[in-house]
């Protein structure tokens, strides 16, 4: 996939940025990007909604930003998840803290605003953030909204757990009934304080699978499928399971076309290569999209036995794909060609011819002879096999270079054929046959001047012979 390029609006100017990676952490997504001068920017999102773009020289220790990139799920900028998030808005607005705070107050509830403010402790002094959040608590308290105020206290408790005022206030007797509700993680908190419930379950998910399932259900119901998928991927990395994998695939198939789905599965495979259903799905997509090298790699890596439909797809790919680019992993194909000789020897011979030609570009005849061993065991009558064995015998015999040149020509290896016929011509200057071959091969190689020269030499030799 092509690298992404976005822009940040900074006053009247736009800054081009190149996203590098994205962290999915709690209710945020944070994209790290660099501009053309290697300045680093962070794009903050609450759930899927863009908040602000901030420039940073470094990441402050123990900040929310550091935790996000240390404990969150990381995805490269080429990942479909990152591309989905970055497609939401462009250019992205660079905002001062006052501008950001004003936006939050207009767009979000006080509770959401208080929580979102904790994202920015890498950029804003923690004391200032604390006081701004504390202001919401006092507003609720003055209005007699005890539970609303208690929710703010829990934001502060997570933000500054050792702050004496927070620890004392959260334990006041007037909040006793709320404290029990939070301690027991009462079901009604899903409705009354979803921010706290989501955060609490996020940190309990590793020890309590039921909590993880409840959190995933909540995220899907909120249409936060990237968060749900990232959480499922995180679970699969730690403990493989067919049910988790099927649920992840169901989520992905709902929102992504197959090409993007393949990219997501490849990313998961890099993190969890031992997941068998994932391996099989990747093979399916590689065959579907005719990605020969990837098909070869995963078949070899996991020793897959192909079913009839897969064999047909693989064979058709081998038969139609161009091997001339030199990018195909021909070295790994010998066992599959050998198997094909059992059922379709004619097709196998065509594919073998193409593969051997490609191998000649990169290997000597001894290597190719060894590579052919599985095929020899199945079909010693193969014309390609016979030619290679004959070439191997002739390669060290200076008196047989013309025969060797003809065999190289059969594999369309024109440079090697020219070398052989040139050697033969030097050995016997009276023999016109190597000269005739050289004229023919140079013409096929597109070297008309050389071809004409050897053609004239051939005519002169004929005239001399007939004189």
């Amino acid at each position: 996939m092509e690298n992404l390029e976005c822009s940040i609006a900074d006053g009247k100017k736009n800054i081009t940025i190149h996203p590098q990676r994205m962290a999915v952490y709690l209710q945020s997504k944070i994209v790290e990007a660099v501009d053309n001068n290697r300045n680093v920017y962070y794009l903050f999102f609450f759930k899927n909604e863009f908040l602000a773009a901030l420039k940073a020289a470094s990441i402050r220790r123990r900040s929310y930003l550091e935790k996000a990139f240390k404990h969150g799920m990381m995805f490269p900028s080429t990942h479909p998840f990152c591309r989905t998030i970055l497609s939401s808005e462009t250019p992205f607005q660079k905002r001062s803290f006052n501008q950001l705070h004003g936006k939050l107050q207009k767009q979000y509830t006080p509770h959401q605003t208080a929580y979102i403010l904790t994202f920015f402790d890498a950029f804003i002094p923690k004391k200032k953030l604390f006081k701004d959040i504390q202001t919401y608590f006092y507003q609720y308290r003055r209005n007699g909204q005890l539970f609303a105020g208690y929710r703010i206290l829990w934001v502060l408790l997570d933000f500054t757990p050792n702050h004496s005022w927070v620890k004392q206030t959260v334990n006041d007797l007037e909040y006793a009934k709320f404290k029990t509700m939070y301690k027991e993680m009462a079901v009604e908190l899903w409705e009354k304080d979803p921010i706290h419930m989501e955060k609490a379950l996020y940190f309990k998910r590793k020890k309590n699978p039921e909590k993880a399932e409840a959190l995933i259900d909540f995220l899907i119901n909120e249409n936060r499928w990237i968060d749900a998928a990232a959480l499922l991927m995180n679970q699969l990395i730690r403990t493989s399971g067919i049910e988790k994998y099927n649920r992840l695939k169901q989520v992905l198939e709902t929102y992504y076309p197959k090409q993007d789905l393949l990219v997501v599965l490849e990313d998961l495979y890099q993190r969890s290569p031992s997941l068998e259903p994932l391996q099989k799905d990747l093979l399916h997509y590689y065959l579907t999209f005719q990605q020969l090298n990837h098909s070869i790699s995963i078949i070899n890596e996991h020793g897959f036995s192909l079913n009839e439909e897969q064999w047909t797809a693989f064979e058709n790919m081998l038969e139609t794909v161009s091997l001339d680019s030199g990018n195909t992993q021909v070295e790994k194909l010998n066992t599959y060609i050998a198997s094909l000789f059992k059922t379709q020897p004619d097709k196998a011979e065509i594919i073998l011819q193409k593969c051997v030609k490609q191998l000649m570009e990169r290997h000597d005849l001894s290597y190719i002879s060894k590579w052919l061993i599985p095929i020899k065991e199945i079909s010693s009558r193969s014309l390609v096999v016979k030619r290679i064995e004959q070439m191997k015998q002739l390669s060290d015999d200076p008196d047989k270079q013309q025969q060797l040149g003809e065999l190289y020509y059969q594999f369309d290896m024109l440079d090697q054929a020219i070398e052989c016929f040139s050697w033969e011509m030097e050995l016997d200057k009276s023999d016109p046959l190597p000269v005739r071959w050289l004229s023919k091969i140079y013409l096929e190689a597109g070297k008309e001047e050389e071809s004409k020269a050897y053609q004239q030499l051939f005519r002169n030799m004929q005239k001399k012979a007939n004189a």
Side-chain angles (χ1 to χ4, degrees), residues 117-179:
L117 287 176
T118 66
F119 295 178
F120 300 99
D121 59 344
F123 305 90
I124 312 299
K126 204 160 187 174
K127 286 184 178 179
K128 176 170 177 50
L129 293 173
F130 181 90
K131 287 182 179 179
D132 287 339
I133 297 170
Q134 191 182 42
T135 299
Y136 293 114
F137 167 77
Y138 284 128
Q139 287 175 353
Y140 281 129
R141 188 167 184 172
R142 282 195 300 271
N143 295 333
Q145 297 173 280
L146 293 182
F147 183 71
Y150 193 71
R151 291 169 65 192
I152 299 296
L153 283 176
W154 268 94
V155 173
L156 288 171
L157 187 63
D158 288 338
F159 186 49
T160 55
N162 297 318
H163 197 287
S164 57
W165 177 85
V166 176
K167 290 195 291 185
Q168 180 182 341
T169 307
V170 82
N171 287 313
D172 282 353
L173 289 176
E174 62 183 336
Y175 300 119
K177 61 180 179 180
F178 305 140
K179 183 178 179 180

Side-chain angles (χ1 to χ4, degrees), residues 412-427:
D412 201 30
M413 304 301 290
L414 302 187
D415 289 342
Q416 290 87 335
I418 287 173
E419 187 177 339
C420 291
F421 288 121
S422 297
W423 175 268
E424 186 69 22
M425 188 181 76
E426 291 296 321
L427 287 179

Side-chain angles (χ1 to χ4, degrees), residues 71-73 201-213 215-216 228-242 244-245 248 268 270-275:
H71 302 297
M73 277 291 287
L201 264 60
Y202 182 89
F203 290 113
K204 292 178 182 292
R205 73 191 190 283
K206 292 181 181 179
K207 293 182 179 180
N208 193 328
E210 291 183 5
K211 302 289 186 187
E213 291 302 314
L215 179 54
I216 291 166
L231 199 60
L232 282 164
M233 290 175 73
N234 184 262
Q235 287 184 290
L236 283 165
I237 293 165
R238 290 186 294 105
T239 55
S240 299
I242 185 66
K244 292 187 186 73
Y245 176 70
L248 171 65
L268 178 58
Q270 294 299 316
R271 305 170 193 256
S272 184
S274 62
L275 191 59

Side-chain angles (χ1 to χ4, degrees), residues 324-350:
D324 296 336
S325 64
N327 295 325
T328 305
Q329 299 175 19
V330 174
E331 288 82 356
K332 298 180 179 180
L333 284 173
N334 50 351
T335 55
Y336 303 102
I337 297 173
S339 298
L340 187 58
F341 265 103
K342 295 178 181 178
T343 55
Q344 300 185 63
D346 292 340
K347 182 185 285 189
E349 188 75 9
I350 293 170

